[in-house]
Coordinates of all heavy atoms in Angstrom, one line a residue:
L209 N -5.0 -0.5 -21.9 CA -3.6 -0.3 -21.5 C -3.2 -1.2 -20.4 O -2.2 -1.9 -20.4 CB -3.4 1.1 -21.2 CG -1.9 1.5 -20.7 CD1 -0.9 1.1 -21.8 CD2 -1.9 3.0 -20.4
A213 N -0.6 -4.3 -20.4 CA 0.6 -4.2 -19.5 C 0.7 -5.5 -18.6 O 1.8 -6.0 -18.5 CB 0.5 -3.0 -18.7
L245 N 15.4 -5.8 -10.5 CA 15.9 -4.7 -9.6 C 15.7 -3.4 -10.3 O 15.2 -2.4 -9.7 CB 17.4 -4.9 -9.3 CG 18.1 -3.8 -8.5 CD1 17.4 -3.8 -7.1 CD2 19.6 -4.1 -8.3
V246 N 15.9 -3.3 -11.6 CA 15.7 -2.1 -12.4 C 14.2 -1.8 -12.4 O 13.8 -0.6 -12.2 CB 16.2 -2.3 -13.9 CG1 15.8 -1.1 -14.7 CG2 17.7 -2.4 -13.8
G247 N 13.4 -2.8 -12.6 CA 11.9 -2.6 -12.7 C 11.4 -2.0 -11.4 O 10.5 -1.2 -11.4
I248 N 11.9 -2.5 -10.3 CA 11.4 -2.0 -9.0 C 12.0 -0.6 -8.6 O 11.3 0.2 -8.0 CB 11.8 -3.0 -7.9 CG1 11.0 -4.3 -8.1 CG2 11.5 -2.5 -6.5 CD1 11.4 -5.4 -7.1
S249 N 13.2 -0.4 -9.0 CA 13.9 0.9 -8.6 C 13.5 2.1 -9.5 O 13.4 3.2 -8.9 CB 15.4 0.7 -8.8 OG 15.8 -0.5 -8.0
L250 N 13.2 1.9 -10.8 CA 13.0 3.1 -11.6 C 11.5 3.5 -11.5 O 10.6 2.7 -11.6 CB 13.3 2.7 -13.1 CG 14.7 2.6 -13.5 CD1 14.8 2.3 -15.0 CD2 15.4 4.0 -13.2
P251 N 11.3 4.8 -11.2 CA 9.9 5.3 -11.2 C 9.3 5.3 -12.6 O 10.1 5.3 -13.6 CB 10.0 6.7 -10.6 CG 11.5 7.1 -10.8 CD 12.2 5.8 -10.8
G252 N 8.0 5.4 -12.7 CA 7.4 5.3 -14.0 C 7.7 6.4 -15.0 O 7.9 6.1 -16.2
F253 N 7.9 7.6 -14.5 CA 8.2 8.7 -15.4 C 9.6 8.6 -16.0 O 9.9 9.0 -17.2 CB 8.0 10.1 -14.8 CG 9.0 10.3 -13.6 CD1 10.2 11.0 -13.9 CD2 8.7 10.0 -12.3 CE1 11.1 11.3 -12.9 CE2 9.6 10.2 -11.3 CZ 10.8 10.9 -11.6
V254 N 10.5 8.0 -15.3 CA 11.9 7.7 -15.8 C 11.8 6.6 -16.9 O 12.4 6.8 -18.0 CB 12.9 7.3 -14.7 CG1 14.2 7.0 -15.2 CG2 13.0 8.5 -13.7
T255 N 11.1 5.5 -16.6 CA 11.0 4.4 -17.5 C 10.4 5.0 -18.8 O 10.8 4.7 -19.9 CB 10.2 3.3 -16.9 OG1 10.7 2.9 -15.7 CG2 10.1 2.1 -17.9
A256 N 9.3 5.7 -18.7 CA 8.6 6.2 -19.9 C 9.5 7.1 -20.7 O 9.5 7.1 -21.9 CB 7.3 6.9 -19.4
G257 N 10.2 8.0 -20.0 CA 11.1 8.9 -20.7 C 12.2 8.2 -21.4 O 12.6 8.6 -22.5
L258 N 12.8 7.2 -20.8 CA 13.8 6.4 -21.5 C 13.3 5.7 -22.7 O 14.0 5.7 -23.7 CB 14.4 5.4 -20.5 CG 15.3 5.9 -19.4 CD1 15.7 4.8 -18.4 CD2 16.6 6.5 -20.0
L259 N 12.1 5.1 -22.6 CA 11.5 4.4 -23.7 C 11.3 5.4 -24.9 O 11.6 5.0 -26.0 CB 10.2 3.7 -23.3 CG 10.4 2.5 -22.4 CD1 9.0 2.0 -21.9 CD2 11.1 1.4 -23.1
I260 N 10.8 6.5 -24.6 CA 10.5 7.5 -25.6 C 11.8 8.0 -26.3 O 11.9 8.1 -27.5 CB 9.7 8.7 -25.0 CG1 8.3 8.3 -24.7 CG2 9.7 9.9 -26.0 CD1 7.5 9.4 -24.0
T261 N 12.8 8.2 -25.4 CA 14.1 8.7 -26.0 C 14.8 7.7 -26.9 O 15.3 8.0 -28.0 CB 15.1 9.0 -24.8 OG1 14.5 10.0 -23.9 CG2 16.4 9.6 -25.3
V272 N 5.8 9.1 -30.5 CA 6.1 9.6 -29.2 C 4.9 9.5 -28.2 O 5.1 9.3 -27.0 CB 6.5 11.1 -29.3 CG1 6.8 11.7 -27.9 CG2 7.8 11.2 -30.1
I282 N 2.3 0.1 -27.4 CA 3.4 -0.8 -27.0 C 4.2 -0.1 -25.9 O 4.5 -0.7 -24.9 CB 4.2 -1.2 -28.2 CG1 3.3 -2.1 -29.1 CG2 5.5 -1.9 -27.8 CD1 4.0 -2.5 -30.4
L283 N 4.7 1.1 -26.2 CA 5.6 1.7 -25.3 C 5.0 2.1 -23.9 O 5.5 1.7 -22.9 CB 6.2 3.0 -25.9 CG 7.3 2.8 -27.0 CD1 7.9 4.2 -27.3 CD2 8.4 1.8 -26.6
P284 N 3.8 2.7 -23.9 CA 3.1 2.9 -22.6 C 2.8 1.6 -21.8 O 2.9 1.5 -20.6 CB 1.9 3.6 -22.9 CG 1.7 3.5 -24.4 CD 3.0 3.3 -25.0
A285 N 2.5 0.5 -22.6 CA 2.2 -0.8 -22.0 C 3.5 -1.3 -21.3 O 3.5 -1.9 -20.2 CB 1.7 -1.8 -23.0
I286 N 4.6 -1.2 -22.0 CA 5.9 -1.7 -21.4 C 6.3 -0.9 -20.2 O 6.7 -1.4 -19.2 CB 7.0 -1.6 -22.5 CG1 6.7 -2.7 -23.6 CG2 8.4 -1.9 -21.9 CD1 7.7 -2.6 -24.8
A287 N 6.1 0.4 -20.3 CA 6.4 1.3 -19.2 C 5.6 0.9 -18.0 O 6.1 0.9 -16.8 CB 6.2 2.8 -19.6
L288 N 4.3 0.6 -18.2 CA 3.4 0.3 -17.1 C 3.7 -1.1 -16.6 O 3.4 -1.5 -15.4 CB 1.9 0.4 -17.6 CG 0.8 0.3 -16.5 CD1 1.0 1.4 -15.4 CD2 -0.5 0.5 -17.2
A289 N 4.2 -2.0 -17.5 CA 4.4 -3.4 -17.1 C 5.7 -3.7 -16.4 O 5.8 -4.7 -15.7 CB 4.4 -4.3 -18.4
L290 N 6.7 -2.8 -16.4 CA 8.0 -3.0 -15.9 C 8.0 -3.3 -14.4 O 8.6 -4.3 -13.9 CB 8.9 -1.9 -16.2 CG 10.4 -2.2 -16.1 CD1 10.8 -3.4 -16.9 CD2 11.3 -0.9 -16.4
M291 N 7.3 -2.5 -13.6 CA 7.3 -2.8 -12.2 C 6.5 -4.1 -11.8 O 7.1 -4.9 -11.0 CB 6.7 -1.6 -11.4 CG 6.7 -1.8 -9.9 SD 6.3 -0.3 -9.0 CE 7.8 0.7 -9.3
P292 N 5.3 -4.3 -12.3 CA 4.7 -5.6 -11.9 C 5.5 -6.8 -12.5 O 5.5 -7.9 -11.8 CB 3.3 -5.6 -12.6 CG 3.3 -4.4 -13.5 CD 4.3 -3.5 -13.0
A294 N 8.7 -7.0 -12.6 CA 9.8 -7.2 -11.6 C 9.3 -8.0 -10.4 O 10.0 -9.0 -10.0 CB 10.3 -5.9 -11.2
Y295 N 8.1 -7.7 -9.9 CA 7.6 -8.4 -8.7 C 7.2 -9.8 -9.1 O 7.5 -10.8 -8.3 CB 6.4 -7.7 -8.1 CG 6.8 -6.5 -7.3 CD1 6.5 -5.2 -7.8 CD2 7.3 -6.6 -6.0 CE1 6.8 -4.1 -7.0 CE2 7.7 -5.5 -5.3 CZ 7.4 -4.2 -5.8 OH 7.8 -3.2 -5.0
G353 N -5.7 2.7 -14.5 CA -4.9 3.8 -15.1 C -3.7 4.3 -14.3 O -3.7 4.2 -13.0
S354 N -2.7 4.8 -15.0 CA -1.6 5.3 -14.3 C -1.4 6.8 -14.8 O -1.2 7.0 -16.0 CB -0.3 4.5 -14.7 OG 0.9 5.2 -14.4
F355 N -1.5 7.7 -13.8 CA -1.5 9.1 -14.2 C -0.2 9.4 -14.8 O -0.2 10.2 -15.8 CB -1.7 9.9 -12.9 CG -1.5 11.4 -13.1 CD1 -2.4 12.1 -13.8 CD2 -0.3 12.0 -12.7 CE1 -2.3 13.5 -14.0 CE2 -0.1 13.4 -12.9 CZ -1.1 14.1 -13.5
V356 N 0.9 8.9 -14.3 CA 2.3 9.3 -14.8 C 2.4 8.8 -16.3 O 2.8 9.6 -17.2 CB 3.4 8.7 -13.9 CG1 4.7 8.9 -14.6 CG2 3.3 9.4 -12.6
V357 N 2.2 7.5 -16.5 CA 2.3 7.0 -17.8 C 1.4 7.6 -18.8 O 1.8 8.0 -19.9 CB 2.1 5.4 -17.8 CG1 2.1 4.9 -19.2 CG2 3.2 4.8 -17.0
E358 N 0.1 7.8 -18.4 CA -0.8 8.5 -19.3 C -0.4 9.9 -19.6 O -0.6 10.4 -20.7 CB -2.2 8.4 -18.7 CG -2.8 7.0 -18.6 CD -4.2 7.0 -17.9 OE1 -4.7 8.0 -17.5 OE2 -4.7 5.9 -17.7
K359 N 0.1 10.6 -18.6 CA 0.5 12.0 -18.9 C 1.7 12.1 -19.8 O 1.7 12.9 -20.7 CB 0.9 12.6 -17.5 CG 0.9 14.1 -17.5 CD -0.6 14.6 -17.6 CE -0.6 16.2 -17.5 NZ -2.0 16.7 -17.6
V360 N 2.7 11.2 -19.6 CA 3.9 11.2 -20.4 C 3.6 10.9 -21.9 O 4.1 11.5 -22.8 CB 5.0 10.3 -19.9 CG1 6.2 10.1 -20.8 CG2 5.5 10.7 -18.5
F361 N 2.7 9.9 -22.1 CA 2.4 9.5 -23.5 C 1.2 10.2 -24.0 O 0.7 9.8 -25.1 CB 2.2 8.0 -23.5 CG 3.5 7.2 -23.3 CD1 3.9 6.7 -22.1 CD2 4.3 7.0 -24.4 CE1 5.0 6.0 -22.0 CE2 5.5 6.3 -24.3 CZ 5.9 5.8 -23.1
N362 N 0.7 11.2 -23.3 CA -0.5 12.0 -23.8 C -1.7 11.1 -24.0 O -2.3 11.2 -25.1 CB -0.1 12.8 -25.0 CG -1.2 13.8 -25.4 OD1 -1.8 14.4 -24.5 ND2 -1.3 14.2 -26.7
I363 N -2.0 10.2 -23.1 CA -3.1 9.3 -23.2 C -4.2 9.8 -22.2 O -3.9 10.0 -21.0 CB -2.7 7.9 -22.8 CG1 -1.7 7.4 -23.8 CG2 -3.9 7.0 -22.8 CD1 -1.1 6.1 -23.4

Side-chain angles (χ1 to χ4, degrees):
L209 176 60
L245 182 62
V246 170
I248 292 174
S249 304
L250 285 182
F253 66 91
V254 175
T255 305
L258 285 174
L259 290 173
I260 289 176
T261 302
V272 175
I282 292 176
L283 289 187
I286 293 174
L288 190 57
L290 196 56
M291 183 169 287
Y295 283 108
S354 167
F355 173 73
V356 172
V357 172
E358 291 177 1
K359 200 71 176 177
V360 171
F361 288 96
N362 193 28
I363 298 171

